[in-house]
Amino acid sequence: YFLPVTRECVNKVIEKERPDSILVSMGGQTALNCGIELWDAGDLQRQNVRVLGTQIPVIVATEDREIFSEKLHEINETLALSYPANDIPTAVEAAAKIGYPVLVRAAFALGGLGSGFA
């Protein structure tokens, strides 16, 4: 199929093809986002479609820095000190708390190259 990877289009394909499973971890950030949307809307469950590989709650946990941090703490894994910042003054303040050098990411995305380093 040569269709956009959207909830609507994927649902049409699922309705036509009736798969028993899908794999959302092989299509970059777009596939991950679509899989989460399908899951949250109950589309996959309603159509009895399983997610192969990494399960949606795990994807969500790794996409959310706060949840990811909590999960690492649950298993006593260390995590680099980090702070969120939405503007330059907040980023400078966070860097002062952490101490230089710091790594600044524009965004966090599990499945793609949508963010870079500054």
Side-chain angles (χ1 to χ4, degrees):
Y1 290 93
F2 191 65
L3 297 168
V5 182
T6 64
R7 177 180 169 218
E8 295 77 22
C9 288
V10 172
N11 265 323
K12 287 179 184 177
V13 172
I14 289 172
E15 288 168 10
K16 181 178 180 184
E17 298 294 339
R18 312 305 285 162
D20 60 6
S21 307
I22 63 170
L23 184 64
V24 301
S25 58
M26 297 298 288
Q29 195 64 43
T30 302
L32 293 173
N33 292 343
C34 184
I36 292 168
E37 195 174 343
L38 289 162
W39 180 263
D40 287 347
D43 297 333
L44 300 177
Q45 301 89 320
R46 187 171 33 263
Q47 298 179 79
N48 295 314
V49 177
R50 296 176 306 160
V51 175
L52 298 176
T54 307
Q55 299 299 295
I56 298 296
V58 175
I59 293 169
V60 170
T62 58
E63 295 266 328
D64 183 305
R65 286 197 177 272
E66 189 172 327
I67 295 172
F68 187 68
S69 175
E70 290 170 8
K71 296 294 182 188
L72 288 178
H73 286 342
E74 286 176 14
I75 60 171
N76 296 319
E77 189 61 47
T78 58
L79 180 67
L81 185 59
S82 66
Y83 294 97
N86 295 319
D87 54 43
I88 292 174
T90 308
V92 170
E93 184 179 317
K97 289 179 188 175
I98 295 169
Y100 291 91
V102 297
L103 176 65
V104 179
R105 288 187 60 118
F108 178 74
L110 180 65
L113 300 174
S115 68
F117 294 98

